[in-house]
Amino acid sequence: MNKPAIILLAALSLHGTAALAVCKDYGNFKPEEGSQVVGGVAFADYKEDKIDAYFYGEMCWTASEIAEEGNRRIFYKLIAGHDANGRIAGYVPLEDSAPAMFTCPQGSVQAPSDGYFDKVEGPRPGFRTLVCKTTQTAP
């Protein structure tokens, strides 16, 4: 079986199933004393069809990335629809798709917190931030 056929078969087998998350601890974020934040992502539009994302601490994603360098990943935007000729007619707005694309590891919940990671690598103008907060209570 050739490579395009294998890719098509894999895509068809996943169609209609819930997206699986890939999780990673980037090791570039240590929570402050008493903080519930375990990780997160700063993200923004990157060109018309891509998303630029910087991951911190423990974080997950459900979309296939197209580039990775350190804690930076580039993703294709989710497609909103096609025109009559089958071409992409538009993309799902980033603020609507990001919470589903960038998920939290088990035992944590997602919350918006713009600018939260500015202290780690400096401000990123135009970027939005989602953090993952632990749901577990300290013993």
Side-chain angles (χ1 to χ4, degrees), residues 49-70:
D49 62 342
K50 295 176 187 71
I51 298 168
D52 196 4
Y54 290 84
F55 290 84
Y56 301 94
E58 294 183 56
M59 194 62 194
C60 306
W61 60 94
T62 59
S64 295
E65 75 271 14
I66 55 174
E68 173 188 8
E69 182 178 331

Side-chain angles (χ1 to χ4, degrees), residues 24-27 29 38-40 56-60 103-106 132:
K24 182 175 180 179
D25 184 349
Y26 282 86
F29 171 73
V38 297
Y56 301 94
E58 294 183 56
M59 194 62 194
C60 306
T103 60
C104 292
Q106 188 173 11
C132 295

Side-chain angles (χ1 to χ4, degrees), residues 12-60:
L12 290 174
S13 68
L14 291 175
H15 182 73
T17 63
L20 298 175
V22 176
C23 299
K24 182 175 180 179
D25 184 349
Y26 282 86
N28 61 351
F29 171 73
K30 298 296 178 213
E32 296 173 3
E33 184 70 31
S35 174
Q36 291 183 298
V37 175
V38 297
V41 62
F43 58 92
D45 288 318
Y46 178 70
K47 302 188 180 183
E48 180 186 1
D49 62 342
K50 295 176 187 71
I51 298 168
D52 196 4
Y54 290 84
F55 290 84
Y56 301 94
E58 294 183 56
M59 194 62 194
C60 306

